[in-house]
Amino acid sequence: VSFNKRGNRMFFTRAIFEKNKYQGRRIYSATFRGKKFRDVTMEVIPIDTLIDVHGPSVSPDEKTLFFSAEIAGGFGGTDIYVSHYDRRSKSWGKPENLGEHINSAGNEGFPVFSGDTKNLYFSSDGRPGMGGLDIYKAEYNIDYNGKSGHMFTEAKNLQYPINTCYDDFGMTFENA
């Protein structure tokens, strides 16, 4: 689950079932009104509907969405992608793979974008670490211009006591 800066819009993953048959995972959003979340809407991300899309993390201004998916041409397993929202067309743009500074031959997931620091935290089982899934941090590249280079620096393992010999995932920050 990921929230916008005001906390009135939530992004989450939902598994879709039709006639008790699994149809994949998609990202949804809901708006908080009248003491509860309402208006549940599937976020339309322009990729094949047969691909699982999950683990959303939205930027505080709701213009950038990070998520995990296993899209052909990736680095292997699930990779982390970014999509930018175009307010004019009211749609998410084509997902971009975050590249080798973030993704590996293994599985990356559970992205968390910290709006205050612009750092990306995520879990990976494809990099050297302490256990199955470890938590990594990549800092926003201030020289990134959207056209070339990497959006984030090379990911670094957060080590002990953040990581253990078990699966570590799901960072949460207060007031981020």
Side-chain angles (χ1 to χ4, degrees):
V1 172
S2 180
F3 294 90
N4 67 353
K5 187 174 186 172
R6 295 186 344 203
N8 65 351
R9 190 152 180 230
M10 171 177 60
F11 292 78
F12 60 96
T13 302
R14 177 182 277 177
I16 303 167
F17 288 88
E18 287 184 20
K19 298 181 182 177
N20 292 330
K21 187 175 177 193
Y22 179 70
Q23 300 292 316
R25 292 179 283 178
R26 283 285 180 242
I27 296 172
Y28 286 77
S29 65
T31 305
F32 189 79
R33 289 185 306 124
K35 298 184 181 181
K36 64 187 203 179
F37 281 95
R38 304 170 185 267
D39 306 326
V40 176
T41 306
M42 184 173 74
E43 295 296 315
V44 179
I45 299 169
I47 58 173
D48 189 324
T49 57
L50 298 176
I51 295 172
D52 279 349
V53 180
H54 50 92
S57 182
V58 68
S59 63
D61 62 5
E62 298 180 61
K63 291 181 181 178
T64 307
L65 181 68
F66 298 91
F67 59 89
S68 297
E70 190 170 350
I71 299 173
F75 288 83
T78 56
D79 286 348
I80 298 177
Y81 290 82
V82 63
S83 183
H84 301 284
Y85 191 77
D86 182 343
R87 294 199 190 272
R88 287 185 204 163
S89 66
K90 295 183 180 178
S91 64
W92 290 104
K94 181 180 176 188
E96 301 169 40
N97 188 302
L98 288 182
E100 71 272 5
H101 282 188
I102 304 299
N103 296 307
S104 70
N107 295 296
E108 279 70 39
F110 308 97
V112 175
F113 180 72
S114 171
D116 292 342
T117 62
K118 293 190 174 186
N119 291 332
L120 181 70
Y121 298 84
F122 63 95
S123 292
S124 175
D125 66 5
R127 297 169 171 271
M130 300 179 68
L133 288 169
D134 276 4
I135 297 175
Y136 293 80
K137 171 186 168 184
E139 296 178 1
Y140 183 75
N141 180 359
I142 59 171
D143 295 326
Y144 176 72
N145 61 15
K147 303 265 188 238
S148 63
H150 294 279
M151 184 180 251
F152 294 96
T153 62
E154 183 75 34
K156 294 184 174 122
N157 187 302
L158 291 183
Q159 303 293 323
Y160 181 84
I162 301 296
N163 290 310
T164 66
C165 61
Y166 303 101
D167 284 337
D168 303 300
F169 56 90
M171 293 285 286
T172 302
F173 295 96
E174 190 173 335
N175 300 322

